[in-house]
């Protein structure tokens, strides 16, 4: 019987819905950090499918090369900078991600982080818990959302969900992306630094990877100015940390709210020491409700592939059916 089942590896935290969903239909090999080498060597030659359960777990070319029959990688999360897409394209491997099901959750978190950063809610709560309210009022916050303009960096599905919420808050929105987005009426800036000059608040919700590395650098932060606020909901790599830490320290910008970091869960200690930074432990999509939908989509993509049907959400770089390399 087992011979009929495709061999699938699970790389990363064995999330319950994914393990339960894959254990029956597939011959599942769970690769954990402490068994990785032996498990990969044992399962390697027969593996045709993989589930990657999310950053920081990676599936780079060196790992994919251990699975010469690999056809399909179902990745958890909408961002897939933890997957070696170039290797996948070159080896006719189709990759899927989990878009759409997390849009509203991540947009909610973005607004939460924005409000926390502008109005200093976490700092005020710490003040109360420390018993300081009986001594004095928490100071009025210097920043407000009332006079701000948000420059979105990225205007994909989640970007639009954030922009809709900002409209509800009465906050004007403009955006930067490589190309203007069809059907989007907000003003488009082809150049990041030009947008930074015209706005005081940046919300980053663009894919990670080499093409967006250090998009927010010292020049952009200077252009943003002393009332500047940077909210990062995308990937840590999009921000030049040294430049942002310096700008926050020297009050060249007002504050930052960060949900993502380059080497998470490690967070540079300079951020921890800054009182004008609000730091979230990558909470974007982190509710039971949304994570279950993401986990189910990882399973459903693999089930569709195994049934010879098109995967539900292949990434654009590896469309279905797989392109055959010449
Ligand atoms: C997840 C995310 O927290 O979907 C993404 O790209 O960043 C988040 O929704 C992350 O994938 C968890 O590993």
């Amino acid at each position: 019987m087992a011979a009929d089942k495709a061999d699938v590896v699970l790389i990363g935290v064995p999330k319950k819905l994914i393990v339960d969903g894959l254990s029956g239909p597939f011959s599942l090999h769970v690769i954990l950090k402490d068994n990785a080498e032996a498990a990969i060597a044992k399962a390697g030659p027969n593996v045709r499918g993989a589930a990657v359960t999310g950053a920081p777990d990676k599936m780079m070319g060196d790992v994919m090369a251990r699975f010469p029959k690999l056809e399909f990688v179902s990745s958890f999360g909408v961002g897939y900078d933890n997957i070696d897409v170039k290797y996948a394209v070159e080896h006719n491997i189709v990759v899927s991600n989990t878009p759409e099901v997390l849009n509203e959750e991540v947009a909610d978190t973005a607004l939460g982080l924005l409000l926390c950063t502008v109005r200093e809610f976490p700092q005020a709560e710490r003040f109360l818990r420390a018993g300081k309210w009986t001594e004095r009022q928490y100071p009025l916050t210097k920043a407000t959302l009332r006079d701000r303009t948000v420059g979105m960096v990225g205007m994909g599905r989640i970007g639009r969900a954030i922009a809709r919420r900002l409209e509800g808050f009465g906050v004007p929105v403009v955006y930067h992306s490589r190309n203007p987005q069809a059907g989007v009426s907000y003003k488009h800036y082809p150049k990041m630094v030009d947008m930074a000059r015209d706005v005081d608040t940046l919300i980053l919700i663009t894919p990670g990877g080499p093409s967006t590395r250090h998009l927010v650098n010292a020049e952009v932060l200077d252009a943003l100015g002393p009332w500047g606020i940077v909210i990062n909901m995308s990937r840590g790599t999009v921000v030049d940390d040294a430049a942002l830490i310096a700008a926050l320290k020297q009050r060249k910008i007002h504050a930052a709210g960060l949900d993502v970091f380059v080497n998470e869960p490690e967070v540079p200690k300079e951020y921890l020491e800054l009182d004008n930074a609000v730091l979230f432990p990558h909470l974007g999509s982190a509710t039971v409700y949304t994570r279950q939908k993401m986990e189910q989509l990882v399973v459903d993509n693999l089930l569709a592939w195994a049934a010879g049907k098109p995967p539900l959400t292949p990434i654009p770089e590896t469309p279905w059916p797989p392109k055959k390399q010449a």
Side-chain angles (χ1 to χ4, degrees):
M1 286 297 278
D4 301 327
K5 297 182 179 183
D7 283 69
V8 165
V9 280
L10 188 155
I11 295 192
V13 178
K15 298 177 195 288
K16 183 168 173 4
L17 252 171
I18 298 182
V19 173
D20 290 354
L22 300 181
S23 302
F26 298 105
S27 175
L28 185 68
H29 310 268
V30 178
I31 313 283
L32 298 169
K33 283 208 169 61
D34 50 9
N35 78 350
E37 194 41 52
I40 290 175
K42 184 159 175 245
N46 298 318
V47 168
R48 292 174 48 220
V52 181
T53 66
D57 298 296
K58 294 186 169 82
M59 191 144 189
M60 290 300 148
D62 57 338
V63 178
M64 290 201 220
R66 307 284 301 275
F67 307 122
K69 292 190 188 151
L70 189 62
E71 295 168 30
F72 188 70
V73 176
S74 180
S75 177
F76 177 89
V78 65
Y80 46 89
D81 49 319
N82 55 328
I83 309 290
D84 193 334
V85 173
K86 185 168 176 285
Y87 184 97
V89 170
E90 285 167 3
H91 293 81
N92 309 321
I93 298 164
V94 173
V95 177
S96 65
N97 63 343
T98 61
E100 303 291 358
V101 291
L102 77 182
N103 293 352
E104 305 303 323
E105 202 76 74
V106 177
D108 289 350
T109 311
L111 265 291
L113 183 53
L114 175 65
L115 285 171
C116 283
T117 309
V118 172
R119 293 292 312 281
E120 304 174 15
F121 292 143
Q123 294 92 324
E125 212 242 7
R126 288 199 291 273
F127 171 91
L128 180 150
R129 283 180 191 270
K132 294 183 186 163
W133 194 16
T134 52
E135 296 159 19
R136 61 182 190 280
Q137 285 289 334
Y138 187 80
L140 304 182
T141 57
K142 296 199 179 80
T144 170
L145 210 50
R146 300 280 62 83
D147 57 5
R148 286 192 169 262
T149 301
V150 167
M152 303 283 305
V153 181
M155 189 49 86
R157 293 165 285 225
I158 304 175
R160 287 170 216 208
I162 296 173
R164 274 202 310 277
R165 282 162 175 73
L166 290 168
E167 280 187 32
F169 278 78
V171 175
V173 173
V174 298
Y175 74 107
H176 161 74
S177 57
R178 254 181 302 179
N179 300 305
Q181 299 291 305
V184 171
S185 57
Y186 308 114
K187 179 175 177 181
H188 174 254
Y189 285 81
K191 277 187 76 185
M192 173 80 181
V193 72
D194 292 341
M195 181 173 83
R197 213 170 285 121
D198 285 0
V199 305
D200 44 41
T201 309
L202 296 177
I203 298 185
L204 317 181
I205 187 71
T206 187
S211 64
T212 57
R213 188 171 179 276
H214 290 188
L215 203 54
V216 175
N217 55 20
E219 188 194 7
V220 166
L221 295 168
D222 275 346
L224 199 58
W227 285 110
I229 286 185
V230 174
I231 302 296
N232 192 1
M233 297 297 299
S234 56
R235 288 291 181 262
T237 50
V238 180
V239 169
D240 176 347
D241 282 322
L244 181 58
I245 288 164
L248 289 167
K249 262 191 195 159
Q250 297 158 22
R251 307 273 158 175
K252 280 188 173 173
I253 68 164
H254 184 70
L258 309 176
D259 186 44
V260 286
F261 302 89
V262 173
N263 288 320
E264 54 190 54
E266 301 301 327
V267 176
K269 86 171 193 337
E270 291 94 330
Y271 282 131
L272 303 177
E273 288 162 359
L274 285 165
D275 63 1
N276 53 349
V278 176
L279 311 172
F280 282 0
H282 202 149
L283 296 180
S285 63
T287 62
V288 172
Y289 176 92
T290 291
R291 286 294 174 83
Q292 283 184 346
K293 292 192 184 312
M294 292 163 69
E295 290 181 31
Q296 193 57 51
L297 192 46
V298 169
V299 172
D300 291 345
N301 268 306
L302 272 160
L303 292 177
W305 159 77
K309 296 184 193 153
L312 307 178
T313 51
I315 63 169
E317 296 89 330
T318 64
W320 183 268
K323 281 195 190 122
K324 292 283 169 241
Q325 298 293 313

